[in-house]
Amino acid sequence: MSSRRRSGKDGLDSPTGAMALRDFIRRLRYGASDACFALFPFVVERKREAAAAKEMRRRAAGKRDPAWRPPAPPVVPPKADGLGIVAFYSDLPSDTAARIEAARPQFVRHVQPVLPLLPLSASVEEEVALATAHGIDTFCFWLRADGELPAALRAILATPDLAIGIAIFFEGPLPAVRADVLDALADPRALRIDGRPMLGASGGGGDQWQAAAAARLGGPLFLVEPFAANADLSAGFSAAVQIPPRDLAPLPTPRRIESVSRAFVGPVDEFMFVADLAQHRARQATVPLFPGICAGHDSTPGQGADARIMVSPDLGDDYARWLTEVLAIARARPVAGASLVFINAWNDWLNGSHLLPDARYGHALLRATASTCAPYAGAIGARRPAAAPVTPRPVRTGSLASVVHGYYEDLLPGLIAGLDPAHLFVTTPPEKAEAVRAVLARAAPAARLRVVENRGRDVRPFLSLLPELEAEGYDLVLKVHTKRSPHQGKEGSDWLQRLSGPLLKLARSERLAPVFEAHPQMGLLGAAGHVLDGALYAGSAGNAAWMRRLAAELGTGAPLTSPYVAGTMFVARLGIFAPLRGASELLDLFDTDMGLKDGTLAHAFERFFGVLAAEAGLSVGEVAADGHVEPVAEVVNGSYAFARSTTEEELDRLRRLGAAR
């Protein structure tokens, strides 16, 4: 008799058992490594130093960090309407460049030195141009009590046409009144809150400063101080400013940290743990507070083996997630009529907190700042007149256009196979045009290729095609796109098939028109199990900000929490897009894609398509893998394999905050 394996939920054949075995082996390996480090420290140190040095040589030879982003000027200057973005500016010591270059990795996979891309000697004009192009309104200059005004501040004051706000923050308590500071605050570009110039310090007597300000400036100052949880404001101060990671205890990362040297004793924090705690404290603050965020933190250049270091798998994406939430907090809780967000910092190279581009992350943080500020920019009508509305052609009932966005050309044949090439529209960016054209020449020569800018992922190309589809009188449109989701791991590998398969099956069997004819109340159709609850799967605050803006621009009144089809693959009645008619300026709002996982205009439109169906008074239906159609989908309001609900995200945050305490 042949033997049989036992399998069950606790057996090694089960996912749980296999994970337990892998975890056990991993802990054994880590334990052995730690024991070797304790017994033979010099041998292990040399081995780890060699590994760290090898990685740095690879980077010096041109290897890019996975989180690196190239420069890409914002398509629309993201001047936030009603929001102010303030970046702290450090007056760097003369040996800063030498200390940056001398920094070395403190643990395996730690990257040091991180070199500036913009020379430290760059002119203030260059810095101001870079800052304002990415949504920074104001530089807040750190100032020592007995130090002279920073050179960059003096240069701005001497150049009246430099369009950047200025503010001053003393590094300690308010010192004796300084005439040069009051003169700087008299500049028309000085940041004013409630009509009063802002001045920051860590407490101290403000009476003398207020008296001097009344005499020199004609009115009082708006005094602010660094935020400390559970602390009242100092006498005479009007608000607090959050300056992460100040006032935040270390929040150790769960990642494996293998020190290069026993001398390294600094904390290694998880960036998003710090972000969660900072946001929590900002929401719970009992004093008037301007929330803040840090642009990373790695004080190795300044502190060496005592450095505090934050780690992140993708700093640009994590920074954007934090900033979009902080913008929402600032908008919801203005102080004296002002909604300000403080970023630590513009150029603090010694503490590794800087928006300025560097050799590791490139322009990631600048671009993330511009992207997250964009939904708060002024209304389209304030920039240019709306385009004349397009007169729709007579609709050919039941006619179907298939729109496929082909970014990954190797996935394209599987999507277009069996679709009517006479009514097939394929969009692709310029860099993919040649490869996609070759695929179409073999598989669908009659298909119409539209080469579009590489902005807005698959959404902007689809929106740009709507006037053409309407002009040709199509009734229905099938929208799918080549999709890879590496951040989803194994689950993401078959997401494309799950989202597109049932829709393509109906299209290839010519059943879509009869289905929509049989269900006149249905406006949008997605794959079963992928129609999500718009409130539970709202995503980041950036999505909500964009959707509020879209609703205001287009004049829609349907709930912004309407159900939507995940992944932006659906069949729709072309009529539901009527509110977009004549609003081609919306295409200008899409920025060059930098790979953010949430909070962009494309993510907002994914949800807003469901709002458009609701605005038309139509339902979102679903089609099962066997072709069965329900005109009103059973909305996913529990767990979903490809996204986390707001409930799950909040539970995770609470667990992390509990661990932090």
Side-chain angles (χ1 to χ4, degrees), residues 500-511 624-627:
S500 65
L503 302 173
L504 292 171
K505 185 176 181 180
L506 285 182
R508 289 162 180 159
S509 61
E510 299 184 353
R511 290 182 54 207
D626 63 3

Side-chain angles (χ1 to χ4, degrees), residues 123-272:
S123 69
V124 71
E125 288 83 2
E126 290 178 272
E127 293 192 62
V128 167
L130 197 60
T132 55
H134 291 86
I136 309 300
D137 301 297
T138 302
F139 283 152
C140 184
F141 292 89
W142 287 111
L143 180 62
R144 296 187 305 276
D146 57 351
E148 64 177 348
L149 296 182
L153 175 55
R154 297 198 305 271
I156 291 173
L157 293 172
T159 314
D161 59 347
L162 276 180
I164 187 79
I166 57 172
I168 293 174
F169 214 113
F170 283 107
E171 293 182 5
L174 281 171
V177 174
R178 290 180 46 169
D180 58 344
V181 172
L182 290 176
D183 288 344
L185 296 180
D187 190 280
R189 293 165 293 180
L191 175 62
R192 285 171 168 76
I193 302 170
D194 194 27
R196 295 176 279 166
M198 191 204 87
L199 179 63
S202 299
D207 291 345
Q208 290 182 333
W209 277 91
Q210 294 292 19
R216 173 67 180 85
L217 306 176
L221 299 169
F222 192 94
L223 297 179
V224 299
E225 63 182 352
F227 174 64
N230 304 317
D232 295 329
L233 292 175
S234 300
F237 283 72
S238 299
V241 173
Q242 192 177 34
I243 314 173
R246 293 190 182 196
D247 192 45
L248 295 174
L251 297 168
T253 178
R255 305 171 198 273
R256 170 74 175 172
I257 300 298
E258 296 183 332
S259 300
V260 169
S261 167
R262 289 171 297 166
F264 176 57
V265 294
V268 181
D269 298 341
E270 186 69 24
F271 183 84
M272 284 310 298

Side-chain angles (χ1 to χ4, degrees), residues 614-638:
E615 182 73 11
L618 300 174
S619 67
V620 179
E622 64 180 7
V623 54
D626 63 3
H628 176 72
V629 172
E630 286 291 340
V632 179
E634 184 177 347
V635 176
V636 175
N637 54 19

Side-chain angles (χ1 to χ4, degrees), residues 404-568:
V404 182
H405 184 63
Y407 186 82
Y408 300 106
E409 67 274 8
D410 57 313
L411 299 178
L412 189 56
L415 292 180
I416 64 176
L419 298 178
D420 185 350
H423 302 287
L424 174 60
F425 298 79
V426 177
T427 58
T428 196
E431 64 270 24
K432 299 285 186 174
E434 184 177 352
V436 169
R437 193 173 282 113
V439 171
L440 295 180
R442 294 190 301 269
R448 284 172 271 189
L449 177 63
R450 301 291 182 261
V451 180
V452 295
E453 291 181 71
N454 190 12
R455 288 198 278 147
R457 304 187 186 186
D458 59 288
V459 173
R460 187 181 186 276
F462 174 73
L463 296 177
S464 69
L465 205 56
L466 286 176
E468 183 177 355
L469 302 181
E470 187 177 63
E472 295 200 17
Y474 285 106
D475 184 21
L476 306 172
V477 58
L478 163 68
K479 181 195 174 302
V480 294
H481 57 98
T482 59
K483 185 176 185 65
R484 283 200 174 103
S485 302
H487 63 282
Q488 296 284 357
K490 292 182 179 179
E491 288 284 357
S493 61
D494 65 344
W495 198 11
L496 172 61
Q497 173 57 33
R498 296 193 194 184
L499 292 171
S500 65
L503 302 173
L504 292 171
K505 185 176 181 180
L506 285 182
R508 289 162 180 159
S509 61
E510 299 184 353
R511 290 182 54 207
L512 279 174
V515 161
F516 274 83
E517 184 179 3
H519 302 294
Q521 78 276 29
M522 185 173 69
L524 200 63
L525 179 67
H530 299 278
V531 179
L532 305 184
D533 183 294
L536 196 60
Y537 287 92
S540 77
N543 295 336
W546 272 121
M547 290 179 70
R548 286 193 297 269
R549 178 166 184 183
L550 289 173
E553 296 281 4
L554 300 174
T556 61
L560 299 182
T561 54
S562 299
Y564 68 93
V565 181
T568 327

Side-chain angles (χ1 to χ4, degrees), residues 249-475:
L251 297 168
T253 178
R255 305 171 198 273
R256 170 74 175 172
I257 300 298
E258 296 183 332
S259 300
V260 169
S261 167
R262 289 171 297 166
F264 176 57
V265 294
V268 181
D269 298 341
E270 186 69 24
F271 183 84
M272 284 310 298
F273 289 8
V274 176
D276 287 338
L277 182 57
Q279 292 171 57
H280 175 74
R281 289 190 174 176
R283 292 188 177 99
Q284 299 298 317
T286 57
V287 299
L289 175 68
F290 295 116
I293 175 175
C294 67
H297 192 87
D298 182 349
S299 58
T300 302
Q303 294 181 284
D306 296 319
R308 181 177 187 177
I309 301 168
M310 292 185 190
V311 294
S312 164
D314 185 339
L315 184 60
D317 191 77
D318 283 347
Y319 166 85
R321 288 169 57 196
W322 187 358
L323 181 56
T324 196
E325 298 298 330
V326 169
L327 288 169
I329 294 171
R331 194 65 177 266
R333 300 179 60 175
V335 175
S339 296
L340 301 177
V341 170
F342 283 75
I343 300 176
N344 183 28
W346 174 253
N347 67 333
D348 189 358
W349 291 98
L350 295 182
N351 285 309
S353 298
H354 50 82
L355 291 173
L356 281 170
D358 63 40
R360 181 178 186 186
Y361 296 115
H363 288 67
L365 300 187
L366 281 173
R367 290 181 59 184
T369 303
S371 181
T372 51
C373 290
Y376 299 99
I380 287 177
R383 290 199 303 273
R384 71 181 191 189
V390 176
T391 302
R393 301 283 180 87
V395 174
R396 293 179 283 116
T397 303
S399 57
L400 171 70
S402 298
V403 176
V404 182
H405 184 63
Y407 186 82
Y408 300 106
E409 67 274 8
D410 57 313
L411 299 178
L412 189 56
L415 292 180
I416 64 176
L419 298 178
D420 185 350
H423 302 287
L424 174 60
F425 298 79
V426 177
T427 58
T428 196
E431 64 270 24
K432 299 285 186 174
E434 184 177 352
V436 169
R437 193 173 282 113
V439 171
L440 295 180
R442 294 190 301 269
R448 284 172 271 189
L449 177 63
R450 301 291 182 261
V451 180
V452 295
E453 291 181 71
N454 190 12
R455 288 198 278 147
R457 304 187 186 186
D458 59 288
V459 173
R460 187 181 186 276
F462 174 73
L463 296 177
S464 69
L465 205 56
L466 286 176
E468 183 177 355
L469 302 181
E470 187 177 63
E472 295 200 17
Y474 285 106
D475 184 21

